[in-house]
Amino acid sequence: MLIEQVPLENGCALGLRFEMQKYPLLVIRAEKGFLMCGYLNISAAETLGDAAAKVKGVQSFEDMLKATVVEVTKFASELGVKTGMTGREALEKMF
């Protein structure tokens, strides 16, 4: 497992990388929510009351920041996170 600081305009988020068999499982956690890769389930985050956004087809934290958000929980939506924005934009809203 790799833990890394991910710099943003409003501060530093925490990146978590787990090496799986073929592709990494990636999460970047901001103060009020997190950005997840395609391995994780947005419905579970919704049920648990988390502000979360999902990006797909990523293999690094930098990929996540550039990727387009494809799903969000209602809690993330309340913070201004929307599908179609970049992962970086979503994290800035969750900071």
Side-chain angles (χ1 to χ4, degrees):
M1 176 174 70
L2 171 71
I3 301 171
E4 184 177 308
Q5 288 189 351
V6 178
L8 301 168
E9 278 187 35
N10 297 324
C12 266
L14 183 66
L16 303 169
R17 179 185 177 104
F18 297 90
E19 293 300 331
M20 307 305 269
Q21 272 53 32
K22 294 189 179 203
Y23 298 97
L25 187 155
L26 299 162
V27 175
I28 302 176
R29 189 189 186 293
E31 190 175 306
K32 297 177 185 173
F34 62 95
L35 186 64
M36 65 171 73
C37 74
Y39 263 114
L40 300 174
N41 186 320
I42 201 84
S43 297
E46 181 79 44
T47 299
L48 296 170
D50 285 328
K54 182 187 245 183
V55 294
K56 292 183 176 181
V58 295
Q59 294 190 32
S60 69
F61 299 133
E62 191 60 37
D63 288 349
M64 292 182 79
L65 297 175
K66 293 176 183 175
T68 301
V69 171
V70 296
E71 289 183 274
V72 300
T73 63
K74 71 177 181 180
F75 307 102
S77 182
E78 290 169 359
L79 295 174
V81 179
K82 297 180 171 123
T83 59
M85 64 177 32
T86 66
R88 179 180 296 280
E89 291 169 326
L91 284 168
E92 295 289 357
K93 299 267 186 201
M94 292 188 276
F95 222 94

